[in-house]
Amino acid sequence: NLVLASGRIGKSTGGYGTITGQAGHGVQFGLSGTGGSITNEAGGTITGQTSGVTVQAGITTPGAAVTFVNAGTIRGEGVTTTLQTPFEGGVRLQSGTTTLTNSGTISGAQFGIVTSQIFVPELQATAWRVGPTTVTNTGTIEGGTSDAIGLFGGGTIVNSGSLIGGSGPGADGIQLQFLPGQDSGLAQIGSIDNQTGGTITGEHGIGLLKRGHLRDELGDDVVDLHGAVKAALDPSGILN
């Protein structure tokens, strides 16, 4: 693993760099407890057997700010098997306030990008310490067994690229959820702005949230063609 408080990854003399975590994360960021910045430039590749990049700023300094820019490729190979274990992803955000801008490719065997609980030494237990999260995507973010982006505790997502949910049951392009103990009476826990050219897909269908905007995203021709194929293959309307 490469452990950073602040750094720039990717471009090196004569070419671009590759970082591989053979038994853990590709990059473990912010263990100093403070904020900082990380940049993976175009051509740079980060992979990890757990998460590609895990951000842990803010454990000792609540609200520590992290700026994360990716124009390269980030991949995480880990998959969590229990809810008591921190989630894995191409990028895992465990503490601090993160602003992430992606124009490259982020993918994970579980999540593409995910906020997750973290082990807190003074508690001798895992706890939720993640702050407000903002993701701006013009590239590709893809989940494996789960969502492209899973923000537990909410956040802000602006998309004009591709968000691709994985193949697992209930995998979404985007998932926003309240944290345990978070005020569920809030009017909202985040916002999603899917801009021109943006695509959000999930393996288990379009879903109620996006159904009313399907024609806006795909256009009348595509939706009408889908309806014609459905009518030809299922004239009795017995399939979902």
Side-chain angles (χ1 to χ4, degrees), residues 172 204-213:
D172 297 302
H204 68 294
I206 185 66
L208 294 176
L209 178 65
K210 297 183 290 181
R211 185 174 63 183
H213 303 283

Side-chain angles (χ1 to χ4, degrees), residues 19 26 45-53 73-78 89-91 105-111 142-144:
I19 295 173
T45 300
I46 302 172
T47 60
Q49 285 303 306
T50 50
S51 289
V53 177
T73 300
I74 299 174
R75 171 73 181 178
E77 298 292 353
V91 173
T105 299
I106 298 173
S107 66
Q110 188 172 20
F111 289 89
E142 183 171 1

Side-chain angles (χ1 to χ4, degrees), residues 88-140:
E88 301 290 358
V91 173
R92 182 175 73 178
L93 307 173
Q94 291 186 281
S95 59
T97 298
T98 300
T99 300
L100 190 156
T101 302
N102 177 59
S103 61
T105 299
I106 298 173
S107 66
Q110 188 172 20
F111 289 89
I113 297 173
V114 64
T115 54
S116 185
Q117 64 271 57
I118 191 170
F119 181 79
V120 180
E122 61 266 30
L123 300 178
Q124 286 298 295
T126 58
W128 291 94
R129 291 292 176 88
V130 67
T133 301
T134 300
V135 177
T136 301
N137 178 56
T138 59
T140 299

Side-chain angles (χ1 to χ4, degrees), residues 9-231:
I9 300 171
K11 205 166 187 178
S12 60
T13 302
Y16 295 91
T18 298
I19 295 173
T20 302
Q22 298 288 353
H25 313 302
V27 171
Q28 194 171 6
F29 181 84
L31 288 181
S32 64
T34 60
S37 63
I38 183 169
T39 300
N40 185 39
E41 297 184 344
T45 300
I46 302 172
T47 60
Q49 285 303 306
T50 50
S51 289
V53 177
T54 187
V55 176
Q56 298 176 331
I59 301 176
T60 57
T61 309
V66 176
T67 301
F68 190 161
V69 177
N70 178 58
T73 300
I74 299 174
R75 171 73 181 178
E77 298 292 353
V79 176
T80 299
T81 57
T82 69
L83 294 177
Q84 289 71 41
T85 305
F87 301 124
E88 301 290 358
V91 173
R92 182 175 73 178
L93 307 173
Q94 291 186 281
S95 59
T97 298
T98 300
T99 300
L100 190 156
T101 302
N102 177 59
S103 61
T105 299
I106 298 173
S107 66
Q110 188 172 20
F111 289 89
I113 297 173
V114 64
T115 54
S116 185
Q117 64 271 57
I118 191 170
F119 181 79
V120 180
E122 61 266 30
L123 300 178
Q124 286 298 295
T126 58
W128 291 94
R129 291 292 176 88
V130 67
T133 301
T134 300
V135 177
T136 301
N137 178 56
T138 59
T140 299
I141 301 172
E142 183 171 1
T145 61
S146 197
D147 312 312
I149 300 178
L151 300 186
F152 300 88
T156 300
I157 298 170
V158 179
N159 178 57
S160 57
S162 295
L163 303 179
I164 306 169
S167 59
D172 297 302
I174 296 173
Q175 179 179 183
L176 300 179
Q177 285 197 16
F178 286 100
L179 292 177
Q182 192 173 5
D183 183 5
S184 59
L186 294 172
Q188 65 180 43
I189 59 169
S191 65
I192 301 170
D193 182 3
N194 192 39
Q195 298 182 341
T196 301
T199 299
I200 304 171
T201 60
E203 286 297 322
H204 68 294
I206 185 66
L208 294 176
L209 178 65
K210 297 183 290 181
R211 185 174 63 183
H213 303 283
L214 185 60
R215 288 184 180 274
D216 295 334
E217 181 174 345
L218 300 180
D220 291 338
D221 291 346
V222 173
V223 176
D224 292 343
L225 176 60
H226 178 275
V229 173
K230 172 72 163 58

